[in-house]
């Protein structure tokens, strides 16, 4: 292992340790972000059970023609428009 690679490793370990600590416990005015990103109880659990509307209509003044948005079973929007403006 070269000296530069070893130096990077030695410097990366404390930064990673501090980053994990702040992510779990927070620091001063920073809230802990670890619980927010938790895949079981965090924001992802809310997104997993979110329900998209079956139908919705609205008007946007700057659109000249009809635009249709359809969500597939994965929640990915598919957009059809008569024009680009």
């Amino acid at each position: 292992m070269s000296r530069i690679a070893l130096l990077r490793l030695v410097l990366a370990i404390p930064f990673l340790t501090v980053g994990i600590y702040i992510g779990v416990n927070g620091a001063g005015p920073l809230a802990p972000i670890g619980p927010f990103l938790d895949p079981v109880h965090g924001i992802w659990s809310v997104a997993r059970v979110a329900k998209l509307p079956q139908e919705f209509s609205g008007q946007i003044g700057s659109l000249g023609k009809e635009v249709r948005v359809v969500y597939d079973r994965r929640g990915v929007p598919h957009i059809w428009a008569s024009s680009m403006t």
Side-chain angles (χ1 to χ4, degrees):
M1 184 180 283
S2 71
R3 287 183 186 250
I4 293 176
L6 184 60
L7 179 63
R8 286 182 181 171
L9 178 63
V10 169
L11 291 175
I13 290 173
F15 279 105
L16 179 61
T17 305
V18 169
I20 290 172
Y21 178 82
I22 291 173
V24 172
N25 298 313
L30 298 174
I33 195 165
F36 179 73
L37 297 176
D38 178 8
V40 177
H41 303 289
I43 189 66
W44 305 114
S45 66
V46 174
R48 186 174 45 245
V49 297
K51 300 293 181 197
L52 297 171
Q54 294 296 321
E55 268 187 50
F56 178 79
S57 64
Q59 286 188 318
I60 300 175
S62 61
L63 292 176
K65 304 212 177 190
E66 182 178 340
V67 175
R68 184 171 169 230
V69 180
V70 176
Y71 292 92
D72 65 14
R73 62 183 172 82
R74 297 175 297 153
V76 177
H78 300 273
I79 304 169
W80 288 272
S82 301
S83 70
M84 295 293 285
T85 57

